[in-house]
Amino acid sequence: NAGVTQTPKFQVLKTGQSMTLQCAQDMNHNSMYWYRQDPGMGLRLIYYSASEGTTDKGEVPNGYNVSRLNKREFSLRLESAAPSQTSVYFCASSEHSPNEQFFGPGTRLTVL
Amino acid sequence: QKEVEQDPGPLSVPEGAIVSLNCTYSNSAFQYFMWYRQYSRKGPELLMYTYSSGNKEDGRFTAQVDKSSKYISLFIRDSQPSDSATYLCAMSATDAGGTSYGKLTFGQGTILTVHP
């Protein structure tokens, strides 16, 4: 099992460009999450999906949209990137206990 | 004020030392308390998971929760160089029906180095 995979690993964008971060899990988990990690801030929840077909906002949803494409995949879209969105983005999934989350390797995004 | 406060360190200890990592929090609704370990340039991995107050032990690791003081700790006994990582505390609350949706609130992480 690959666990949680994220693509791309690295990305550089210019202000105003759009992009989609992809996340997939092969553990048949129901719940999936998107976090961002910034120095001195820990991880902050952007959006989550408790089950296929549902999505909800987390702590810092502004500037992002998500799509739960199917049970395996949960994508994060930046419509018009801003330098404040420079961060490391982590996707996670969970099954029986929503607090036991399995994280992907992260996507390092720089917005110039 | 952040809901969860964690001393970022860095903390440097010799191999074999006992390490104490701590977090304080302000939200009395938190019921679930987790410790995640994150190696450099990797995703976090769950280390310990406790519900409400009390202690939990797993090998060299012990997690303690004191809800009355809003204080949680992680102790690492006989620390090893392989324990060098960032340790993140995380917490979550439940809704009125007792359901947790995994909306974790993280501390900023403590950087630990165990030197041989």
Side-chain angles (χ1 to χ4, degrees):
Chain A
N1 287 350
V4 179
T5 56
Q6 293 183 236
T7 55
K9 286 185 170 55
F10 302 92
Q11 184 70 48
V12 178
L13 292 178
K14 294 181 180 178
T15 298
Q17 288 184 318
S18 62
M19 80 161 294
T20 300
L21 281 65
Q22 306 286 355
C23 174
Q25 50 90 9
D26 63 1
M27 297 174 283
N28 202 35
H29 287 173
N30 281 318
S31 302
M32 298 185 74
Y33 312 83
W34 275 106
Y35 293 88
R36 59 178 289 173
Q37 186 174 32
D38 303 293
M41 298 294 294
L43 282 91
R44 292 180 292 169
L45 182 65
I46 305 171
Y47 271 94
Y48 69 102
S49 171
S51 61
E52 186 179 354
T54 68
T55 60
D56 284 288
K57 295 177 181 179
E59 181 185 352
V60 289
N62 291 345
Y64 305 95
N65 286 302
V66 290
S67 295
R68 183 74 183 267
L69 304 169
N70 47 56
K71 192 172 185 180
R72 289 187 64 248
E73 299 171 289
F74 188 35
S75 62
L76 179 71
R77 182 160 178 83
L78 287 70
E79 291 291 352
S80 179
S84 61
Q85 294 178 305
T86 294
S87 188
V88 182
Y89 291 85
F90 289 100
C91 177
S93 70
S94 67
E95 180 53 19
H96 301 291
S97 169
N99 300 300
E100 297 184 56
Q101 297 181 14
F102 294 82
F103 284 79
T107 293
R108 294 182 176 273
L109 175 67
T110 300
V111 183
L112 302 175
Chain B
Q1 184 188 4
K2 294 179 183 177
E3 279 190 300
V4 179
E5 297 280 358
Q6 183 176 8
D7 186 341
L11 187 60
S12 180
V13 301
E15 184 175 355
I18 296 174
V19 176
S20 173
L21 304 167
N22 311 293
C23 289
T24 59
Y25 64 95
S26 57
N27 187 348
S28 57
F30 287 144
Q31 296 284 346
Y32 294 90
F33 303 91
M34 283 68 64
W35 286 95
Y36 282 82
R37 178 174 62 193
Q38 184 176 24
Y39 290 114
S40 181
R41 294 188 169 264
K42 302 289 187 183
E45 56 179 340
L46 182 66
L47 201 57
M48 300 286 284
Y49 169 34
T50 55
Y51 172 71
S52 196
S53 284
N55 294 357
K56 185 173 184 179
E57 188 174 321
D58 184 1
R60 295 184 296 110
F61 299 90
T62 299
Q64 289 185 351
V65 175
D66 181 349
K67 291 187 69 179
S68 63
S69 301
K70 295 190 177 66
Y71 187 87
I72 71 170
S73 301
L74 177 71
F75 297 96
I76 307 174
R77 291 184 299 280
D78 188 25
S79 56
Q80 302 295 310
S82 59
D83 295 327
S84 298
T86 297
Y87 289 80
L88 300 147
C89 62
M91 308 175 189
S92 71
T94 60
D95 65 12
T99 299
S100 174
Y101 293 97
K103 296 175 68 175
L104 303 186
T105 301
F106 282 85
Q108 62 188 110
T110 299
I111 300 170
L112 172 67
T113 301
V114 181
H115 50 85

